[in-house]
Amino acid sequence: MLSYQHAYHAGNLADVHKHAALSWMLDYLRAKPKPLSYIESHAGRALYRLDAAEAEKTGEAAQGIAKVAGWFEAAHPYARVLAETRVAHGATAYPGSPEIAARLLRAEDRLHLAELHPQEHAALAAAMGARAKVHRRDGLEMAVALTPPEPRRGLLLIDPSWEIKEDYRQVPQAIRRVARKWPVGCIVLWYPILRDRPHAPMLRQLERDIPEAVRHEVAFPPARPGHGMTGSGLFVVNPPYGFHQQAQWLTARFATLAPQP
């Protein structure tokens, strides 16, 4: 569980899908003059460098944000955060979801971030400073414990590494518990679409538990020969108004990529 480091995958096409949707949702939620809570179960280190050895080893960023950044007009919240991050940290900097949340949300909003990996936790705490409460604890346990949060409006992002098969069983259980405790919360689950489709039973369970939730998936070519990820998925409970249109827009952008072999 503690071996995963997102630096190898930062800025890939799954990040583009997840972070573009997340940026849009947070930007929408903050438009109301009421404070909100942001909770993230598997936060990572918040800031990445796309010229780092890890990113160059996999080539995923080169096939991801480096290729498709032009999809997003300057006014899109994802494009705004990308631009702000590069001004602050250099042209090859890439914001993870904690950095996206910290840049989009306001001083009155509350951010709770969980990360168990010791080096990633240290980097996350250094990057966030006083902008967020950084927890070194199990993220699903934290999400259940902190909900309903104060302020009560808000969003929970669940984004495991999915390297442990048990995640596919534990995640639906946690979402079911959080949704019962926090019926007004927006819960966003990201999952990879792999060739052997280990996510399929999990989604069947989630759709039985919360049939009114929205599922959005995009497909894309593998980042390199033999790479098993061929798409990205989001399962969203209580999506903000207008999310359907934003999801359709992303579907159209991803459809322009070369077809899968």
Side-chain angles (χ1 to χ4, degrees):
M1 178 173 63
L2 298 184
S3 64
Y4 179 82
Q5 295 184 57
H6 192 63
Y8 291 94
H9 314 290
N12 65 9
L13 286 169
D15 264 4
V16 172
H17 176 222
K18 171 178 59 183
H19 291 157
L22 175 67
S23 297
W24 184 90
M25 286 187 273
L26 291 176
D27 194 60
Y28 179 90
L29 289 172
R30 75 167 186 177
K32 287 189 177 180
K34 294 181 179 180
L36 57 91
S37 296
Y38 176 79
I39 304 169
E40 185 167 346
S41 63
H42 301 75
R45 62 170 49 225
L47 282 169
Y48 302 92
R49 298 200 66 84
L50 301 186
D51 59 351
E54 296 92 339
E56 292 187 343
K57 181 177 181 179
T58 63
E60 292 184 28
Q63 297 300 315
I65 189 59
K67 180 177 286 189
V68 305
W71 286 353
F72 302 93
E73 295 183 356
H76 194 285
Y78 180 45
R80 298 203 313 264
V81 172
L82 283 171
E84 290 176 8
T85 302
R86 289 167 178 169
V87 168
H89 300 284
T92 64
Y94 183 81
S97 42
E99 184 70 14
I100 290 170
R103 289 193 173 275
L104 286 173
L105 298 183
R106 306 153 298 186
E108 63 267 30
D109 299 324
R110 297 291 176 263
L111 282 72
H112 290 273
L113 312 171
E115 178 54 54
L116 274 175
H117 190 288
Q119 286 78 34
E120 300 296 284
H121 176 272
L124 175 65
M128 289 293 101
R131 296 184 293 170
K133 173 66 175 176
V134 178
H135 306 255
R136 191 174 175 193
R137 65 193 288 193
D138 179 86
L140 295 179
E141 182 273 329
M142 182 194 75
V144 173
L146 290 183
T147 50
E150 183 58 42
R152 200 172 180 88
R153 292 180 67 240
L155 184 147
L156 163 65
L157 175 63
I158 300 176
D159 177 17
S161 69
W162 302 106
E163 291 193 330
I164 304 172
K165 291 182 179 180
E166 190 69 6
D167 285 342
Y168 290 97
R169 185 185 66 83
Q170 292 179 345
V171 163
Q173 294 175 349
I175 290 176
R176 186 165 57 245
R177 293 178 67 188
V178 169
R180 282 201 299 261
K181 294 178 64 183
W182 192 26
V184 300
C186 177
I187 305 170
V188 181
L189 170 68
W190 175 83
Y191 54 92
I193 298 176
L194 307 175
R195 294 189 188 278
D196 57 354
R197 299 184 61 80
H199 64 282
M202 176 187 71
L203 285 174
R204 287 195 292 270
Q205 181 63 57
L206 284 167
E207 290 175 337
R208 285 194 295 267
D209 292 342
I210 314 175
E212 68 275 15
V214 172
R215 175 176 167 184
H216 182 247
E217 296 181 350
V218 296
F220 44 74
R224 57 190 178 277
H227 193 223
M229 185 165 64
T230 60
S232 170
L234 295 170
F235 184 86
V236 186
V237 182
N238 295 324
Y241 178 79
F243 175 73
H244 179 67
Q245 288 75 20
Q246 181 65 196
Q248 285 185 320
W249 184 87
L250 285 169
T251 296
R253 301 286 79 71
F254 276 89
T256 65
L257 298 174
Q260 299 176 39

